[in-house]
Amino acid sequence: QVQLVESGGGLVQAGGSLRLSCSASGIILRINSMGWYRQAPGKQRELVTIITSDGSKNYADSVKGRFTVSRENVKNTVYLQMNSLKPEDTAVYYCNANVVGGISLQRRDYWGQGTQVTVSS
């Protein structure tokens, strides 16, 4: 199958920066979009950013100008550079990838296990 492994979360003060990474491994024929979602306590999971295979990017309004998504296709890895962090950015961040792969070579979404980002005021 396909696995997504995230790293880079942690505790940071408001105004600080963090960089998240997510690498996909397994039976992968093609990765279409990759992106990041987040879920704060008591809230629904929300899209933070997404990057397509051709490099097109979309961001949630709340993170525009502060967060930057990038990917290295040869490494099947997506990054999220988070600057000027705010307490309201505190959440569990999940990596998502739309992949053609797995034993049946079907197209489906895969999720990482999540990484905690905590921003103190």
Side-chain angles (χ1 to χ4, degrees):
Q1 289 290 54
V2 177
Q3 299 81 36
L4 300 183
V5 178
E6 302 145 344
S7 62
L11 173 64
V12 65
Q13 288 188 333
S17 297
L18 283 174
R19 189 188 194 215
L20 307 182
S21 301
C22 171
S23 294
S25 63
I27 303 172
I28 298 172
L29 181 63
R30 183 178 69 252
I31 299 179
N32 299 310
S33 62
M34 301 186 81
W36 295 91
Y37 289 71
R38 67 186 181 186
Q39 188 167 18
K43 295 187 177 181
Q44 290 187 333
R45 189 174 298 189
E46 63 175 1
L47 175 67
V48 175
T49 182
I50 191 167
I51 180 169
T52 63
S53 57
D54 64 358
S56 298
K57 305 172 185 179
N58 281 301
Y59 296 94
D61 288 342
S62 59
V63 306
K64 283 180 181 176
R66 301 187 298 120
F67 291 10
T68 303
V69 65
S70 60
R71 63 189 279 180
E72 285 189 79
N73 290 332
V74 294
K75 294 184 177 180
N76 291 334
T77 298
V78 63
Y79 305 97
L80 181 64
Q81 178 65 43
M82 304 184 292
N83 298 329
S84 302
L85 282 161
K86 304 175 181 180
E88 51 262 44
D89 295 317
T90 295
V92 177
Y93 283 70
Y94 296 91
C95 175
N96 169 270
N98 186 266
V99 179
V100 178
I103 296 174
S104 58
L105 293 181
Q106 290 185 336
R107 178 177 179 174
R108 58 158 284 190
D109 281 332
Y110 292 88
W111 294 88
Q113 79 283 3
T115 185
Q116 177 70 45
V117 171
T118 302
V119 184
S120 64
S121 57

